[in-house]
Amino acid sequence: MEKLTGKSILKGIAIGKILFYQKGEQSVKRVKIEDTQAEIKRYESAREKAVLQLKELYKKAVKEVGEVNAAVFDVHAMMVEDGDYVDSIVNIIETQQVNAEYAVAVTGDNFSKMFAEMDDDYFKARAADVKDISERIVNILSGNENNSGALEEPVIIVADDLAPSETVQMDKEKLLAFVTEHGSSNSHTAILAKTMNIPALIGVSIKQEWNGKLAIVDGYTGTLYVEPDEDILDTLKKKQEEDIKARELLQDLKGKEDVTLDGRKIKLYANIGGVKDVASVLANDAAGIGLFRSEFLYLEADDYPSEESQFMAYKTVAENMAGKKVIVRTLDIGADKQADYFKLDHEDNPAMGYRAIRICLGRTDIFKTQLRALLRASAFGNIAIMFPMIISVNEVKQIKEIVKSVKKELDGQGIPYGETELGIMIETPAAVMISDLLAPEVDFFSIGTNDLTQYTLAIDRQNMKLDNIYDAHHPAILRMIQMTIENGHKHGCWVGICGELGADPELTKTFVEMGIDELSVSPTFILPTRKNIREIKLN
Ligand code: PEP
Ligand code: MG
């Protein structure tokens, strides 16, 4: 048995086999081959497998994100079998007498360069697709298929680091836990682990040889056991059963009000990253959705999601929530959330860079597409729209003008939309300090404590070395929350918290005392937070 420790993201026990996850971009070696015909056969069977995988992905995506958004997998399946592409690979294997991996990688690079240089946006965009399909075939050939996101059995993923775009593509039903060597507890991958309610450890020295071995992740102590002893296995299996029982006890709180002993009602909402998370929002009986991180729709896709596919996603969520509030945050891409097709320049300081609302106000085509989709979906439920990373009143005024122009466009086309509250995230110190000026402009504030902590304490939330001083309980943060609530209330704005601090049991009472109106937490934390709220006595 090997025993390693790391930092735990979520309490809980996971028991299962390890799957060692490698990044797609591994270097492909050129190897001389004698039997080129056998190599071509090996390539052909990998190609067939890639097509099958893509067809499966297409079916899965149609169910999850609708036909339009899923079409990319259909296009990929066709590209895998494209005559010129296939001929190039076979030709390289035959004439250069090299391994299939190398022939596929070289062909992928050549085709991708050729597409990127074309004077046509459609073909330019295919450059990333051809790279993607080539990577898929190389992964199949070299036995690294886990990179495709399709998991065959429930596994504990062990990886050097995971980007949100990788995490979001994994088959959530088969994920038992994450263990990474790098990454920080405030990263979006950590937040996703909480949303999925799976234990996760960071800062563990990982080994590739663990692949396929049985392991236990103990999220209570931050321990990973590889090939655990019978004793440990028994003890932690019991602990896992106790967890299940404790969760069952919380089930009694379903249907109960979120109200303190002295009658203060709190709106207890959930944070989600996609349409699929609505099931756990409903299962945990949240009163609404306080943060739908819409950028995950963009991270899951290989190209800008169309108005139609976004409309379907927002409409599905709104309809499933049946009149309960659904606050969708507009695109918050950038920093650790990168989608290749945005082609954002490399920045030395991306957390303070071109991201979120800055991109939306710079590229209004993308912003307007999202707003059209959101407003159209608002006719089918109770949608509110929230804007991230605000630092000035001018930004809010610009946003409101754009929203007005999109509404006018819809009016002109006779397309209906509902009443939508507009709100902003308070996640920069600037927004806190001018919250008295921002409040008259909007209907609500939602405090993003994850970024607010990062920007106030000058601590990069991605930097694991600083995890121990990333202190969201710092008095500066608590004072800022208090100030935001006071300024919001003075101007008729309701105020919530959607950062991770909102679920901190040590602070529930403090927030209620400060006058918070709403707490939005990962679905897993709904019932524990309800329990806390119901035990609060203010006077
Ligand atoms: C936050 O910053 O607190 C927040 C909720 O947004 P995100 O974590 O997605 O940056
Ligand atoms: Mg944020």
Side-chain angles (χ1 to χ4, degrees), residues 188 191 291 293 329 337 425 427 448-451 461 499:
H188 285 92
I191 290 171
L291 170 63
R293 289 181 163 94
R329 174 176 73 188
K337 290 177 284 196
M425 294 209 49
E427 54 183 345
T449 52
N450 309 335
D451 277 318
R461 66 192 267 194

Side-chain angles (χ1 to χ4, degrees), residues 279-316:
S280 70
V281 173
L282 296 172
N284 287 286
D285 192 35
I289 289 171
L291 170 63
F292 178 172
R293 289 181 163 94
S294 70
E295 56 276 9
F296 285 108
L297 297 179
Y298 292 71
L299 293 177
E300 276 168 350
D302 287 349
D303 204 346
Y304 296 102
S306 63
E307 177 185 324
E308 206 52 35
S309 67
Q310 289 192 64
F311 164 68
M312 284 308 293
Y314 305 139
K315 175 175 177 270
T316 308

Side-chain angles (χ1 to χ4, degrees), residues 54 57 61 65 68-77 79 121-122 124-136 147-148 165-166 168-169 295-306 309 338-343:
L54 287 161
L57 272 175
V65 291
V68 183
N69 226 11
V72 61
F73 296 117
D74 219 17
V75 172
H76 279 195
M79 288 175 96
D121 282 350
Y122 176 81
K124 272 200 167 78
R126 302 286 75 78
D129 293 328
V130 80
K131 267 201 127 151
D132 211 352
I133 57 158
S134 307
E135 239 166 50
R136 178 177 295 279
N147 287 332
S148 66
S165 55
E166 291 170 310
V168 81
Q169 290 188 33
E295 56 276 9
F296 285 108
L297 297 179
Y298 292 71
L299 293 177
E300 276 168 350
D302 287 349
D303 204 346
Y304 296 102
S306 63
S309 67
Q338 294 286 346
D340 290 345
Y341 57 86
F342 272 79
K343 300 205 166 52

Side-chain angles (χ1 to χ4, degrees), residues 487-505:
N487 281 333
H489 286 174
K490 257 187 231 157
H491 298 277
C493 227
W494 64 263
V495 185
I497 297 177
C498 63
E500 295 306 296
L501 202 63
D504 189 328

